[in-house]
Amino acid sequence: MNSPQPYTVRLESKEKVSRNVYLVTFALITPATMVFAPGQHVLVRLAQGMNRSMSIASVPGDAGKILMCHDVSPMGPFSQWTIHAKVGDELTFFGPLGIFTMAPTSSRRKVFVATGTGIAPLRSMIRHALSEGDTSPIMLYWGLRHEEDLYWQEEFTALAAGHPNFQFLLTLSQSSESWAGTRGRVTDHVFKMEKDLVHSDFYLCGNRTMVEEMRTGLLAQNVPKEQIKTELFY
């Protein structure tokens, strides 16, 4: 097996988009491009020798840019780096890594289920599929906790408006009384709304409880395990 390719990258932009989430864009320096499959991740090396796996939220062909979606609430070394980093700072990546990628030849309905920043690799997959003209039905379920955790909802709503084969449902599990949108656990909505589980492909990413609950429930409904792909974020 070949060793992962090292990349030198420079912080190009950093934007705090919710209570704990930053969108961080890196420009590739050496090499200047990265060939990756939507859904893959990179290993980020910090100066103190610590490594952190981070999913790529951008799509292939984004002109030498890598977008990441970082929840800093754990307040570990990489959270601290992100909070204090300045545009122009450099890092080393290794990658691309991982097999959490879309089945290239499947025409089945694609059901994406995310909690929190587990949305990052799913954004890459969905945007790439739509840009490549995928006409199979695509459904995204995204579970967050509070209104303060919201971001990207306008982006996915716009994608749904522009692509008849794409639908998007956002739900909050701990919303305030004033929240006018969908409420409840994301897993409950998936099993309530999806009518043909066996003939769908599932991509699950986020917290362990959600991923394991979804996988167990799908297997119990006779969904072939080959049609269930998972990635744990925490």
Side-chain angles (χ1 to χ4, degrees):
M1 181 180 296
N2 295 330
S3 299
Q5 167 77 46
Y7 290 82
T8 302
V9 302
R10 178 183 297 118
L11 179 62
E12 185 170 271
S13 66
K14 181 182 76 171
E15 179 186 7
K16 189 175 185 181
V17 292
S18 73
R19 175 173 50 182
N20 294 310
V21 173
Y22 287 82
L23 298 184
V24 185
T25 302
F26 293 94
L28 297 167
I29 302 173
T30 309
T33 59
M34 178 187 293
V35 178
F36 67 92
Q40 287 191 297
H41 63 272
V42 297
L43 197 66
V44 180
R45 174 158 295 174
L46 300 179
Q48 53 266 52
M50 306 185 82
N51 297 326
R52 169 71 186 272
S53 177
M54 293 291 293
S55 287
I56 300 171
S58 44
V59 297
D62 269 1
K65 306 273 195 296
I66 297 294
L67 173 66
M68 294 181 180
C69 178
H70 189 191
D71 181 350
V72 300
S73 57
M75 295 305 290
F78 192 43
S79 296
Q80 294 290 340
W81 186 91
T82 298
I83 291 169
H84 299 292
K86 295 178 175 59
V87 171
D89 288 351
E90 295 187 2
L91 275 178
T92 299
F93 288 173
F94 294 88
L97 300 163
I99 58 173
F100 183 63
T101 56
M102 291 176 64
T105 59
S106 174
S107 61
R108 289 184 291 267
R109 176 177 173 84
K110 299 174 178 65
V111 180
F112 297 88
V113 187
T115 54
T117 51
I119 193 66
L122 305 191
R123 178 187 186 271
S124 180
M125 292 181 185
I126 291 167
R127 292 199 67 102
H128 181 71
L130 294 175
S131 69
E132 292 292 301
D134 190 333
T135 58
S136 61
I138 300 173
M139 180 70 195
L140 170 62
Y141 297 89
W142 186 14
L144 295 168
R145 291 178 179 171
H146 309 281
E147 289 94 322
E148 295 85 356
D149 299 323
L150 293 172
Y151 59 100
W152 274 348
Q153 70 272 30
E154 293 180 358
E155 174 178 322
F156 288 119
T157 299
L159 281 176
H163 297 84
N165 63 315
F166 174 59
Q167 294 179 285
F168 167 52
L169 184 141
L170 172 70
T171 182
L172 299 185
S173 61
Q174 300 175 32
S175 64
S176 68
E177 292 184 2
S178 62
W179 171 245
T182 302
R183 304 167 185 260
R185 298 168 66 248
V186 69
T187 50
D188 294 338
H189 289 290
V190 177
F191 286 113
K192 178 180 178 180
M193 295 180 62
E194 291 300 316
K195 304 304 182 184
D196 192 7
L197 300 174
V198 173
H199 297 104
S200 300
D201 291 330
F202 290 86
Y203 299 87
L204 318 174
C205 189
N207 69 71
R208 182 179 299 274
T209 299
M210 181 279 287
V211 170
E212 292 183 348
E213 183 177 327
M214 279 297 310
R215 180 175 171 80
T216 299
L218 293 172
L219 292 174
Q221 294 290 328
N222 299 314
V223 177
K225 63 180 180 180
E226 295 80 12
Q227 290 169 215
I228 307 170
K229 292 197 173 186
T230 65
E231 186 91 311
L232 295 176
F233 263 40
Y234 51 93

